[in-house]
Every structure is written in C-alpha cells, then in structure tokens.
Amino acid sequence: MKYAIVIPDGCADEPQDSLGGKTPLQAAHKPNMDRVARTGVVGRSNNVPPSLTPASDVATLSLFGYDPMQVYTGRAPLETAAMGIPLGPNDWAVRCNLVTVENGQMRDFTAGHITSEDGRPLIEAVQRAFGGPVPAGLPGHGAGRLEFHPGVSYRNILVYRGDGPAPFSPETKTQPPHDIPDRPIAEHLPKGPGSELLRHLMEQSRAVLADHPVTKARVAAGKRPATQVWLWGQGRAPTLRPFAEAYGPRGAIISAVDLVRGVGELLGWARIDVLTATGYLDTDYPAKGRAGVAALRDHDLVCVHVEAPDEASHEGKAGEKVKALEQIDRHVVGPLLEALPQYGDWRILVSPDHRTPLRTRAHAHGPVPFALAGTGIAARGQPSYDEAVAAAAELSFDRGHELMKLFLG
Ligand SMILES: [Zn+2]
C-alpha cells in the first residue's frame, strides 16, 4: 500500500463576506480535493487538545498519529531537530523570531518576511552580543550558556545549554507573536520561571538590531526592519517512537517549514527538500507536487505540507487563500491522485493541521475537515471537501491522533 498525506496548512476557516458567504475551501475551484471527498469520506478531527496552544507543532503531531498530551514538549525543540542541532537533557530550545514592533505593538511577526540573507547577520550580531554564559543577575547565571542559531527567514533558534537544571519549567509562559497581530506587546511578555532572562534578551536586542547596517539598509529600501527578537515556544527535546515502529509504513516529509520537517524527522521520516519551496504564497507548487510523486517510488508514505494558506490567513487575504488552495489542488493533490494507483493499493488523506480563521488572522482551536479516499474506502455520497460537509459528517475524531489508524487501515 502507498499512502499520501497533503496538508494545506491552516486552510479550515469560516464563511467570508468577501467570498459571497463561502469559506475559502468552498470558494476555491478544487476538483481533485472534491474527487477525494466524492470517492471517499469527509469527516472532522480535532488536532489540538484544549489545554495546548493551536499551532502546527501540536496539530501536526496529532495528524501524524501521536497524542500531543503524551509527547509534546514545545515548538522550538521540534524545529531545532530539523536544523540538526542536538539537545542535551538539561538544554532548552527557544524560538527566536525577528519581529517588527512599532509603537509598542506587534506590527509584523516576520519582520517583513525578512530574507535569510538579511536575517542571518542580525542573528549573528545578537549571538556576538549575548552568546556565551548567562550574565550575572539573571536566571541561569553560573549554570547555563546561550547560543543563537540563524534559521530560515524570520525563524531562528536560541539554545540554552544547561550544566545543571535550567531556570525554565512547564510553568514558563510565552506568547506566539503571530497570535497578537497589531496588539500591545507589554501584555504578552514572557511570564513565570526563567522569564526574566527571556524578557532581558528581547529588550536588549533592540539596540543591537537598531544599530545594524542591515536594519539601516532595510529602512532605506522601504522594507520593514527587524526591531527586536521575540522569544517563545520553549521546551526540552521530546522522545517519539519512530513511525515505522508504531504504525509500519516508512515515511517521507516534504515541507519548507522547519517545524513540520522537524516533526517528520523525529518520527524517522526521510526529509526531502524542494529548493524552490519558500513556505510562503510564492512557493513553487508544481515542484512540491513533482517531489511528492517522485518520493512515492522509495517510500510507503509521502507527506506534502504547504504553508501558504496559513500565511494568507495571517495576512487577512481571503483571495490569496483561495488561490493557494487552488494551486495545491492542481499541482499537488492532482498529480498524487494520478500517480498513486500505479503502485497498486493506495490511499490519500487531505487535511490541514489546525484552523486559521481570516477573521482573527490567528490559529484557533476546533475541528478541521479531512477527506480520505483510496483502496478499501467506500464512498459516502459527500459532494465536496469543505467545512460544512465535514460539520454534517458522521465521522468525527475528538482526539485527532486516532485518525491515523483509520487512514492506514
Ligand atoms: Zn500559522
């Protein structure tokens, strides 16, 4: 049996006035996803337990068949794994966004989708300023060292290397910056054990970034400057049972997002990079589809994740979200549907990880629609893949990780 999973990140949404009362999924011309719905089954699943923050880390674990309540330790450790940075038992990884704060408000959690070329020297400057032993007067002083690692675009990592127990705990609370668009940051700073260190670094990064030539060049070019780092998503390294051991199939993951790749790699899936994938609306959809089709040759299960619909929601662009869904349908779902039967028995699953309503431009709890089809799946007469069909469906998983068993049959 060959399996394909397509993740249109954050696609689940609400009816939009600008789309004539339709959701983006309903407004999109997506014959291939609708074919999956018509020839298979549509249902809904809840990938984010109520006590956890809705985001791709938790939701992807669920979608891949792991109970986040059992295995989730934080977002940053998953990304750190994807970057190939090892974590010891006393180490903590912390997500380090380059962000634009204006007048005390979170203007842009991506610093104008800063390029890696611009971002890297900024994080290197932050490392020169704050890397090394934790300064006196701060939590972790005398017990830990700080390392800032440049990642892709605005997504970087801070590693706290502990010689003993770290100052952080599960009670340390931080705020994902993408969930506070245009809101005052003062109300959303880190709280709890070790938070003083995080707040110190965030505050002190302002002067380092303001003085940097990259910042001056961005302002001169009319681009958004990175005004500070934003620290969040902290956690220790998780331990996950390999997917092949837990479920059987040997998997591969295609994603431009460190986080999603990190989850796949921690499960033991092969990582396949598409060099022209951007993790944004301008990604190379056909190349991702081609990579997915090619990967079917050597892997039992191929997962193609596309971030674009989620990004469109964060920017509040309904039209772009529809367009992203149409591209995914045409260039990813279509080619996979065509290729899969050549291998004999096959199944395909289309599902976002979590909801990202355009109304709030932020991730949200709640069930997402999924559609699956293929060998041994009987059609249930459902006309299309969307939120309304899913809401009326019989098949529902309150614990999203239980869907994987049904999918694998
Ligand atoms: Zn998102």
Side-chain angles (χ1 to χ4, degrees):
M1 183 90 93
K2 292 280 184 186
Y3 302 93
I5 301 175
V6 178
I7 307 177
D9 196 300
C11 78
D13 212 313
E14 301 161 346
Q16 307 295 311
D17 287 343
S18 68
L19 300 176
K22 293 179 173 177
T23 69
L25 269 176
Q26 289 171 326
H29 174 67
K30 48 173 193 10
N32 296 302
M33 293 187 202
D34 289 341
R35 198 168 113 210
V36 174
R38 272 200 320 278
T39 60
V41 53
V42 177
R44 57 192 184 277
S45 59
N46 187 356
N47 291 326
V48 185
S51 63
L52 298 177
T53 303
S56 288
D57 46 7
V58 169
T60 306
L61 279 169
S62 281
L63 189 51
F64 293 167
Y66 292 77
D67 182 357
M69 295 305 285
Q70 304 288 330
V71 300
Y72 181 70
T73 61
R75 176 186 186 111
L78 300 171
E79 293 179 324
T80 307
M83 291 163 73
I85 304 164
L87 289 179
N90 293 318
D91 298 346
W92 282 65
V94 187
R95 168 62 100 74
C96 175
N97 274 48
L98 286 166
V99 300
T100 309
V101 173
E102 274 172 12
N103 306 321
Q105 295 177 338
M106 181 59 67
R107 195 64 69 215
D108 189 341
F109 71 92
T110 71
H113 280 277
I114 193 165
T115 60
S116 301
E117 291 68 38
D118 275 5
R120 172 175 279 273
L122 294 178
I123 292 299
E124 284 168 354
V126 170
Q127 165 69 14
R128 278 195 299 278
F130 308 114
V134 174
L138 290 168
H141 172 63
R145 285 163 294 122
L146 304 173
E147 291 170 12
F148 289 84
H149 296 268
V152 176
S153 179
Y154 60 90
R155 311 175 186 100
N156 310 285
I157 289 290
L158 162 64
V159 176
Y160 173 95
R161 300 268 181 220
D163 303 319
F168 312 113
S169 86
E171 299 309 309
T172 309
K173 300 295 177 210
T174 55
Q175 172 66 51
H178 49 258
D179 285 342
I180 50 166
D182 297 329
R183 286 174 222 164
I185 62 163
E187 299 164 16
H188 300 284
L189 296 172
K191 295 182 183 71
S195 60
E196 214 185 308
L197 171 61
L198 304 179
R199 287 202 306 270
H200 170 87
L201 294 168
M202 286 160 72
E203 207 176 285
Q204 298 296 314
S205 69
R206 287 184 202 148
V208 175
L209 296 182
D211 285 345
H212 200 281
V214 164
T215 302
K216 290 177 177 154
R218 285 183 71 80
V219 172
K223 295 176 186 165
R224 279 192 169 145
T227 61
Q228 67 169 80
V229 299
W230 188 269
L231 300 170
W232 62 285
Q234 71 284 348
R236 274 186 286 206
T239 41
L240 296 176
R241 197 167 162 220
F243 188 87
E245 199 184 300
Y247 288 106
R250 293 164 309 112
I253 177 88
I254 298 168
S255 171
V257 177
D258 282 345
L259 172 69
V260 177
R261 279 204 308 260
V263 175
E265 287 189 291
L266 280 171
L267 307 187
W269 289 358
R271 159 185 173 171
I272 296 168
D273 287 342
V274 174
L275 296 177
T276 46
T278 61
Y280 191 52
L281 296 161
D282 60 356
T283 196
D284 189 345
Y285 298 93
K288 291 190 87 156
R290 283 194 301 272
V293 167
L296 287 172
R297 268 198 313 268
D298 301 324
H299 305 275
D300 307 320
L301 181 152
V302 174
C303 176
V304 183
H305 165 264
V306 186
E307 177 77 351
D310 181 65
E311 295 287 341
S313 267
H314 287 307
E315 296 185 4
K317 295 176 179 164
E320 291 296 326
K321 192 163 183 181
V322 170
K323 224 188 284 174
L325 289 168
E326 291 179 341
Q327 297 286 314
I328 295 168
D329 188 80
R330 178 167 171 201
H331 296 297
V332 182
V333 179
L336 283 169
L337 272 179
E338 203 151 296
L340 279 163
Q342 297 164 19
Y343 293 96
D345 289 353
W346 62 277
R347 282 187 182 178
I348 189 167
L349 168 65
V350 180
S351 177
D353 41 2
H354 55 72
R355 303 171 64 236
T356 314
L358 284 153
R359 179 173 50 82
T360 56
R361 293 167 50 197
H363 301 162
H365 285 97
V368 296
F370 68 81
L372 65 91
T375 309
I377 305 284
R380 309 223 177 161
Q382 292 160 301
S384 78
Y385 172 57
D386 61 53
E387 295 85 349
V389 171
E394 278 167 36
L395 195 58
S396 170
F397 293 91
D398 279 344
R399 292 146 53 89
H401 65 275
E402 291 171 352
L403 167 61
M404 183 55 77
K405 246 185 219 146
L406 172 80
F407 174 56
L408 297 177

